[in-house]
Amino acid sequence: QVQLVESGGGLVQPGGSLRLSCVASGIIFSINAMGWYRQTPGKERELVATITSGGSPNYADSVKGRFTISRDNAKNTVYLQMNSLKPEDTAVYYCTRLVRGLPFGSWGQGTQVTVSS
């Protein structure tokens, strides 16, 4: 059974930083591409960043230059380092594994990120 557990969210002021973590179990983590998505009330879940099994990242235009996705295969964990946070980054952040570039299978419970002064 695949399980994804996100953590690291919280309340931060504009311009601040947070580091999200997602621990995966029930999959062979190292061979899976992974992604971070986010969702705000009333909106579709949107892609934030992806990382291939080989470690190549890709980012949504809205977060390029501010967010960094990385992975530690030894810890079955994917990270999202978020810098220069803006109020519009406020959302629930989810991780998922990707198959052919699309979300596949279950989602975690998400972690809330709130950017506010």
Side-chain angles (χ1 to χ4, degrees), residues 87-105:
E88 50 264 43
D89 295 318
T90 296
V92 179
Y93 284 71
Y94 301 87
C95 74
T96 186
R97 62 173 168 157
L98 303 171
V99 175
R100 297 187 181 91
L102 295 174
F104 182 83

Side-chain angles (χ1 to χ4, degrees), residues 33-117:
M34 300 294 294
W36 283 98
Y37 285 70
R38 64 187 181 188
Q39 189 171 26
T40 53
K43 290 189 175 182
E44 294 286 322
R45 201 166 291 186
E46 66 171 357
L47 175 68
V48 176
T50 64
I51 187 165
T52 67
S53 58
S56 297
N58 192 34
Y59 300 96
D61 288 343
S62 58
V63 306
K64 272 181 186 174
R66 301 188 298 121
F67 291 11
T68 302
I69 189 171
S70 62
R71 63 190 298 157
D72 185 339
N73 290 339
K75 295 182 178 180
N76 283 9
T77 301
V78 58
Y79 302 99
L80 187 68
Q81 177 67 44
M82 306 187 295
N83 299 329
S84 303
L85 282 161
K86 304 175 181 180
E88 50 264 43
D89 295 318
T90 296
V92 179
Y93 284 71
Y94 301 87
C95 74
T96 186
R97 62 173 168 157
L98 303 171
V99 175
R100 297 187 181 91
L102 295 174
F104 182 83
S106 59
W107 296 85
Q109 84 289 347
T111 186
Q112 175 71 49
V113 171
T114 303
V115 185
S116 175
S117 55

